[in-house]
């Protein structure tokens, strides 16, 4: 089987971390590597990020519009950490009609009954258990946990060491910060942000920022 080209949107640290997942998936493949990391696209990468890409050994292909010139078999992954920005970038990328893969780091654990839309990225050490549903371009970062019966809407991010307890609903574009905990059965509204280290003990309304223990 031939390797498929994959392009990362976003030259920053989050994008490069996702590129390491691609490399890890290739390294764990029993046969031919599934992916050829073709490069990154970014409208205006900083000089620092250009140098880091050079050291990383993967080229910057040009602005996002370059995607329109690539073969239709090229896959695209959104290497954008901020859910709101990721959603905006997706609106620009979708008209090109290029598929987005589900990427799961070999050192992550994902339940066999996970249901996910395109673009899910699961980082090293993450744990997703049973009967979890994930929407488009959800990112579950390093060592985060998503427990049983959770529903993660499109563009949700769970940052490193974040814990989402069982039977929770995270609506579109919501974010659980690093080391934060969402207690069982709660709902995080669309566009809401749970600050790093917070403990959520009640539902969070849409477009709200909560922090602290308990989160307010």
């Amino acid at each position: 089987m031939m390797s498929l080209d994959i392009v990362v949107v976003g030259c920053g640290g989050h994008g490069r971390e996702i590129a390491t997942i691609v490399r890890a998936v290739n390294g764990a493949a029993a046969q031919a590597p599934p992916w050829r990391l073709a490069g990154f696209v970014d409208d205006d990468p900083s000089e620092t990020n250009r140098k880091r890409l050079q050291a990383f050994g993967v080229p910057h292909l040009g602005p996002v519009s370059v995607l329109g010139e690539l073969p239709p078999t090229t896959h695209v992954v959104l290497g954008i950490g901020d859910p709101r920005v990721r959603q905006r970038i997706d609106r620009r990328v979708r008209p090109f009609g290029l598929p987005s893969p589900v990427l799961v780091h070999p050192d992550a654990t994902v339940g066999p009954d996970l249901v996910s839309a395109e673009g899910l990225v699961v980082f090293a050490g993450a744990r997703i258990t049973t009967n979890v549903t994930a929407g488009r371009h959800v990112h579950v970062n390093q060592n985060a946990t998503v427990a049983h019966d959770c529903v993660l809407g499109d563009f949700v991010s769970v940052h490193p060491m974040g814990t989402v307890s069982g039977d929770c609903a995270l609506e579109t574009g919501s974010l659980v910060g690093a080391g934060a905990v969402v207690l069982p059965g709660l709902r995080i509204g669309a566009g809401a942000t749970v600050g790093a280290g917070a403990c959520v003990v009640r539902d969070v309304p849409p477009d709200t920022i909560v922090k602290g223990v308990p989160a307010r």
Side-chain angles (χ1 to χ4, degrees), residues 77-178:
V77 59
L78 302 186
I80 308 294
D82 185 304
R84 294 176 185 269
V85 177
R86 192 156 69 244
Q87 189 168 6
R88 291 202 303 268
I89 295 296
D90 180 58
R91 287 196 291 267
R92 295 180 58 195
V93 170
R94 287 187 76 177
F96 298 120
L98 302 176
S100 290
V102 171
L103 292 176
V104 178
H105 194 286
D107 292 334
T109 301
V110 173
D113 53 353
L114 169 71
V115 176
S116 69
E118 67 173 5
L120 170 68
V121 181
V122 184
F123 289 66
R127 303 287 181 256
I128 299 176
T129 64
T130 182
N131 191 37
V132 172
T133 300
R136 301 180 67 253
H137 299 294
V138 168
H139 289 185
V140 180
N141 284 266
Q142 292 94 336
N143 301 306
T145 299
V146 179
H148 62 88
D149 308 312
C150 285
V151 177
L152 311 183
D154 296 345
F155 309 106
V156 161
S157 284
V158 183
H159 279 192
M161 300 296 291
T163 299
V164 181
S165 302
D167 202 30
C168 288
L170 277 58
E171 295 181 349
T172 299
S174 57
L175 182 151
V176 175

Side-chain angles (χ1 to χ4, degrees), residues 6-25:
I6 189 168
V7 173
V8 180
V9 180
C11 290
H14 195 73
R16 284 181 280 111
E17 285 181 344
I18 288 177
T20 67
I21 297 175
V22 175
R23 287 177 168 174
V25 169

